[in-house]
Structure formats: C-alpha cells, structure tokens
Amino acid sequence: MSSDQIELRSIKNKIIGNPDAKVSLAIGGALARVLQCLNASHAPETRIEALHIVYSLSSGSQEALLQLLNHKAIPSLLDVFSSIDSTSPQRLRAALGRAFKAIVSNITDCCGFQSWGILPSVPRRLWREAQFALEELFQPTALDAWLPHLLDTSLYASICGAISTGVRTPTHRTAICEWRPASDRAKATTSKRGWEKSNTLIISPTTPSSLHFPTSQANQFWVVKHLLHAVFDRQSSLATVTVSLEALASICKDNPAACSYLRMETSSSSTTTDTSNHLQPFLLLLQSSSQDVRIASVHLLANYSKATLNTSLGMSGNTATYVSHLREFGIFNHPFLREGNNAQQDQHPTYSLCLTILHILVGMICAEDESLTVRTKACYVLSRFCTDDRIIAAAAVDCGGIQSLFSALVWETKLHNGKATEGEEMQEEEEEEEEEPVQILQLREVRHSY
C-alpha cells in the first residue's frame, strides 16, 4: 500500500459521518491534493480512495460542496471518465460512478427544486457555482466524456442516475437526445455528399402522431434507444429497469419529440398512427411485483401523457380555454368534444392513459402496504401531473385524489402517534418537540403542494 493510499484512507475514515471534518478538509489545503490523486498517473487503488472522499464531501455540507466546485471537481471526474475503459478495474469504475452521481444530484438540487424532497435554503454563491457546473456538464465535450459509459454495466446505474437527477431543462433534454457517440458522428459525416443537407432533429411541440422519424433522425435518440433496450431486456435486473425508467422519465418531460420516438419504438405496429397498442409494454410494467418499477413506470407515463396531451388535442386559443371550463360536465365527456373535427377526441388513447395514471397514483397513495418512499413519490408525481393543467386536475378530483391525500394524512397521523408506547407520559407543551423524520416531512410537504 502506497503512502498516498494510506493518507487518503485516513482522511476518508475521519470525514465519514463527520460534517465538521468534511468542512475542515474542504476549506483546508488537502482537497487539492485529493483531486490530484484522481489523475491517471496514480495507481487505481489510490484513485479509488480519492473518489470515495469526493463522494463523501459531495454528500456532506453545502460548504464542502461549494469547495468541490471551486476546486473543479467535476472536470476532474470527467478526466477520469476519459481515462478509463472496460479493462479498468471494476472497483474504480464503480467508485467513479458513485461519486459522479452524488455530485450531479446534489448540485442539481442546489439549482432548483428537489425531485423527491424538500429543498433547503441555498447561498447565492453556491447556487451560481452549481448552475454553471450543471450547464457545463451538458456541453458536447462533457457529454463525450461520460455518456459513452452508458454501455458499461459497472457504470450504467450511475449514468442513469445522473440523467434522471441532472436533466431539468429543455436544453438538457435536447442535448441528451441529440448526442451520439463520436464513431457514429464520424460515419454520418463521411457518408454525406456535399449537396446533401443533414436532417434536423424535431424538438418543437409538434403533434406526436404526425412525427415520422427517418433512420438518420431516429439514430439521434441514441441514449433513449439504449435505455429502452435495458428496460425490456429479459436479462435486466429490477434495479436496472428502475433506473432506466427514471432516466426516460426525465428525458421525456415536456419533450414531445422524445415521447413520439418512445411511442414509435414501443408500438407493435409498423406505423406511428396506429394506437391499438399504445405504450402497451410500459402499461404491463405497472403490474410488476417491484414497487420501484411500478412508481418509475407511472412517473414515465405521466410525463409522456403531460407532454403529448395538449399537442394531440388539436385545440388552441378560445377552444382550449372553453374546454378548460367544462368541469361540471365530467372530464373528457362533454358533448362539445364530440362535435365536428373533435368527434373522436374523447376516445384518444391519451385520455384513457391519463385516467389510468390517475387511478394508479391514487391507489398508491391510499395503499398502506406501499412503502413510505413510494407513497411520497406518488404524491410528487400526482402534484406535477396536475400542475398548470386544469383538465387533469379536475380529472384527479373525479378519480379520488383529494380523498387519497386525506387518507395519507390520517395514516401519517397514526404513524406519528404510534411511536409513543403505552405508559409514557405526555411531554409538556413548553418542552422542545421531537424533530420529525425526513420522510414524514417530505410526505407532508408534497401533500400541501397538491
């Protein structure tokens, strides 16, 4: 064991579970030395210990995370990605993926709302640094460093995790959808003659049923294609399916083009206009025995439906405004929708898909046998599904969304009160109250947001 490895292991043991030690390391001069040990010139075991320290610091205090960004930790991790391949030690690749996913997740939470939790207050300086680092992460040169490792089984889950937590804006989604490996880009460049024009990726909110992807365009959804393969590969574990679905959910949010490609690839028909088997493979995943697979599937379907529903209605202007006020006639069933060109809109698969999603989410929230994490995620998905869409919000009320939240409130109260054992005396009001668990706080927060 080298002296560097011994020193790094000693530092790692000191900072694990010790926020004060993490801050002391971050603001001291040792952090630069730790990041230097990530260079390819060091032994794999030394680099592994340094990656463990980066992971621990990124999951610690905000000051430690800020110092990581100031010392260019993310470019250092990208350099490690560029220096490894399938022959590199598996422990090195696993440690790299773990550290990369943690730092991406934490800087993303500093830039905006947390996906599944309550966002703490973030200093302005940290917000600026995190925002800059996140934008740099989705630049072409950075994507060329870490996205190719989606094919590495040791890094697959971590790359999917970085996508599901880091992709937050339309720019990020476009960058992920348009990215292709350098070898594929080189083939496309050499095979193109001078008078031929390259196809442009469709990213505008066009009606999904009208999008037809030539082979050259479909190939640009390289990441989506590989995520889909992992979801439906019979040899994939439940954990692999879950992280793949979560990554797809982030990519398809507010992205009609990606949703249309998803629909084309999962349809058993040869044409995208045939909706007889509309996303049937994903609907079958809702019957999985895994809670994580079910909530990830319904999250993806909710984002898909939200992104394609408005574009598939064919409504605009006063018509859409008029329909949004038809609550008293029953959602999607008003006679107005069955007149003229809108004769079949109430039978559009997106409508039934919306209702299916709502019923599943309501069932998850009400089910006391579901885990607290799954019920909390279901609340968040339901909240986002109804946000800025009065029609879906009204349908959620019709499906029992309000009652399900009340049932979650009653269950939460029982869970909180059940912690006191018989014979314990009630605490005096002036005494300091016991802090609630984070999971309960998250469930309470998302219930109020809905």
Side-chain angles (χ1 to χ4, degrees), residues 126-431:
L126 175 57
W127 181 87
R128 289 196 302 266
E129 293 292 337
Q131 187 73 31
F132 178 79
L134 187 63
E135 294 305 317
E136 287 295 313
L137 193 63
F138 288 93
Q139 296 301 312
T141 53
L143 293 176
D144 286 341
W146 63 276
L147 267 186
H149 294 280
L150 193 66
L151 300 178
D152 190 336
T153 55
S154 300
L155 288 165
Y156 181 84
S158 299
I159 299 298
C160 288
I163 294 174
S164 62
T165 58
V167 173
R168 296 291 181 91
T169 68
T171 303
H172 297 165
R173 296 182 182 97
T174 301
I176 291 292
C177 289
E178 289 184 339
W179 185 87
R180 289 183 297 168
S183 58
D184 290 1
R185 298 197 299 267
K187 291 178 182 178
T189 302
T190 55
S191 63
K192 199 183 305 298
R193 290 182 288 270
W195 61 85
E196 295 178 336
K197 295 182 179 180
S198 60
N199 290 319
T200 303
L201 178 65
I202 302 175
I203 58 175
S204 59
T206 311
T207 304
S209 60
S210 65
L211 293 177
H212 299 278
F213 295 94
T215 302
S216 59
Q217 284 185 331
N219 287 339
Q220 296 192 38
F221 291 90
W222 186 90
V223 175
V224 177
K225 179 177 67 175
H226 283 80
L227 293 174
L228 284 173
H229 179 269
V231 169
F232 299 113
D233 187 355
R234 294 184 178 181
Q235 297 181 353
S236 296
S237 64
L238 292 177
T240 299
V241 174
T242 300
V243 296
S244 303
L245 290 171
E246 291 173 348
L248 285 171
S250 294
I251 294 174
C252 291
K253 180 178 173 60
D254 300 326
N255 192 348
C259 292
S260 182
Y261 179 79
L262 199 71
R263 176 179 173 182
M264 178 185 68
E265 288 296 308
T266 56
S267 175
S268 61
S269 175
S270 60
T271 61
T272 59
T273 56
D274 185 358
T275 56
S276 59
N277 294 291
H278 187 64
L279 295 176
Q280 187 67 21
F282 290 108
L283 294 173
L284 294 176
L285 290 176
L286 297 175
Q287 304 174 8
S288 172
S289 59
S290 170
Q291 294 179 337
D292 294 331
V293 171
R294 292 200 302 271
I295 188 61
S297 300
V298 74
H299 185 205
L300 170 60
L301 291 172
N303 286 351
Y304 171 91
S305 181
K306 191 72 175 287
T308 59
L309 178 59
N310 293 333
T311 58
S312 63
L313 288 176
M315 301 182 192
S316 61
N318 295 331
T319 303
T321 302
Y322 179 80
V323 173
S324 67
H325 292 282
L326 301 181
R327 167 71 178 84
E328 64 273 15
F329 293 98
I331 201 69
F332 305 142
N333 290 321
H334 190 266
F336 176 82
L337 293 177
R338 296 192 293 271
E339 296 175 0
N341 294 332
N342 298 323
Q344 300 298 324
Q345 286 181 355
D346 60 328
Q347 301 297 325
H348 193 282
T350 308
Y351 294 134
S352 59
L353 179 60
C354 284
L355 296 178
T356 299
I357 292 169
L358 290 172
H359 283 296
I360 291 174
L361 289 173
V362 169
M364 286 182 171
I365 297 172
C366 293
E368 295 186 3
D369 58 338
E370 295 280 6
S371 67
L372 181 59
T373 301
V374 169
R375 298 181 72 182
T376 303
K377 285 187 175 182
C379 289
Y380 274 101
V381 174
L382 179 60
S383 175
R384 297 167 193 161
F385 194 41
C386 298
T387 300
D388 298 329
D389 197 313
R390 297 181 62 182
I391 295 180
I392 295 180
V397 174
D398 291 342
C399 294
I402 300 297
Q403 292 88 336
S404 68
L405 295 176
F406 275 117
S407 68
L409 175 62
V410 173
W411 175 82
E412 174 197 341
T413 304
K414 291 180 179 179
L415 180 66
H416 183 67
N417 294 339
K419 292 182 178 180
T421 59
E422 295 183 2
E424 290 183 349
E425 298 181 356
M426 298 295 293
Q427 292 183 347
E428 298 295 336
E429 295 183 358
E430 59 270 19
E431 292 183 2

